[in-house]
Amino acid sequence: MSHPPYRVLIVEDHQVVAEGLAVLLNEHAELRVVALAASVGEVEHLADVERVDVVLCDFWLPDGTGAEAVAALRSHQPEVAVVFLSADQSDQVILTALEAGAAGYLVKSAGGADVAEAVRRAVDGEILVPARQLAKLLARRREHAQRSEEHARRLDSLTPREREILALMTEGLDNRDIARELSISYTTVRSHVRHLLSKMGARSKLEAVVRAAEWDTPSNAA
């Protein structure tokens, strides 16, 4: 498990914005910006030479998308946390970001303190998408999603404990809250979360919550 200061990579093609974010984040003792990248290509170059704990990433880049940049980084560093910071608030872009494993998605009008807090909390695996955005996405996904044998198979593969943890995740509890709620260790919760993410084919807790809602099973796992 990483310990502060958390190593941050900023992926942003506007130099002034990137440098401003670096100054902002470096004002927090628990965060340290170790690299800046302005394109998918630069992230690919950095991926195997610069270890990071969290990436703060714009979605639209000159040579691709932030989702592609994250995929390049995670091919070398699969545990890295991801927060997107973008001006684009469209459903499809946010869904693509979530499917890329984002812990959070902030708009560029967010305050500096909110950005720093999101980066810090992302390392702890917290879900950081604004409630309004998440509710809208869940409602639309639920409306259009259809059940399938694959969905049922994945859900049936969850153990009773994993189903309990998934239900608590849909209520917005983080790993430490879940540990307290179930009277088990934080390490045990992390292990269960890793297993249920694998079984559900999800790359983040947020994606697992979205899939659980899509499959209309956020709390019937008891």
Side-chain angles (χ1 to χ4, degrees):
M1 181 179 177
S2 299
H3 298 281
Y6 298 124
R7 298 168 63 86
V8 183
L9 165 64
I10 295 174
V11 183
E12 164 61 59
D13 62 313
H14 291 91
Q15 184 176 355
V16 172
V17 175
E19 292 176 351
L21 288 170
V23 171
L24 168 70
L25 297 183
N26 282 331
E27 289 178 349
H28 298 262
E30 69 274 23
L31 302 175
R32 179 157 60 93
V33 176
V34 297
L36 304 178
S39 66
V40 176
E42 289 185 23
V43 173
E44 291 174 341
H45 174 72
L46 287 169
D48 61 353
V49 298
E50 188 70 68
R51 183 188 64 78
V52 298
D53 298 305
V54 57
V55 55
L56 179 63
C57 189
D58 196 357
F59 188 84
W60 296 110
L61 299 169
D63 58 346
T65 68
E68 293 168 329
V70 168
L73 182 60
R74 282 192 156 174
S75 68
H76 295 268
Q77 303 181 53
E79 299 300 320
V80 69
V82 180
V83 175
F84 279 92
L85 180 65
S86 176
D88 194 329
Q89 301 181 59
S90 65
D91 286 352
Q92 187 55 53
V93 165
I94 297 174
L95 285 171
T96 301
L98 302 186
E99 289 166 355
Y105 192 101
L106 301 177
V107 296
K108 285 190 172 179
S109 59
D114 292 333
V115 174
E117 181 70 2
V119 170
R120 184 190 65 76
R121 292 170 60 191
V123 183
D124 287 332
E126 296 188 45
I127 297 173
L128 305 168
V129 173
R132 183 180 63 181
Q133 290 280 5
L134 183 55
K136 180 174 69 172
L137 290 171
L138 291 176
R140 291 188 181 182
R141 294 284 293 253
R142 187 180 299 115
E143 179 182 352
H144 296 292
Q146 297 179 345
R147 292 184 179 274
S148 69
E149 291 182 0
E150 175 65 10
H151 296 166
R153 185 190 67 77
R154 287 182 179 274
L155 289 170
D156 287 345
S157 72
L158 298 181
T159 67
R161 178 63 86 187
E162 288 166 354
R163 287 170 175 265
E164 282 185 299
I165 290 173
L166 178 59
L168 293 172
M169 285 165 53
T170 67
E171 295 175 13
L173 275 67
D174 63 24
N175 289 354
R176 287 186 170 79
D177 291 334
I178 292 172
R180 285 191 290 268
E181 179 73 19
L182 299 179
S183 298
I184 58 178
S185 73
Y186 174 79
T187 301
T188 299
V189 172
R190 282 172 59 91
S191 177
H192 283 306
V193 168
R194 282 196 298 270
H195 290 153
L196 75 86
L197 291 183
S198 176
K199 290 177 180 180
M200 295 184 70
R203 285 170 286 186
S204 70
K205 291 172 64 178
L206 184 54
E207 186 179 356
V209 169
V210 171
R211 290 193 175 195
E214 173 184 300
W215 300 344
D216 196 26
T217 56
S219 61
N220 66 356

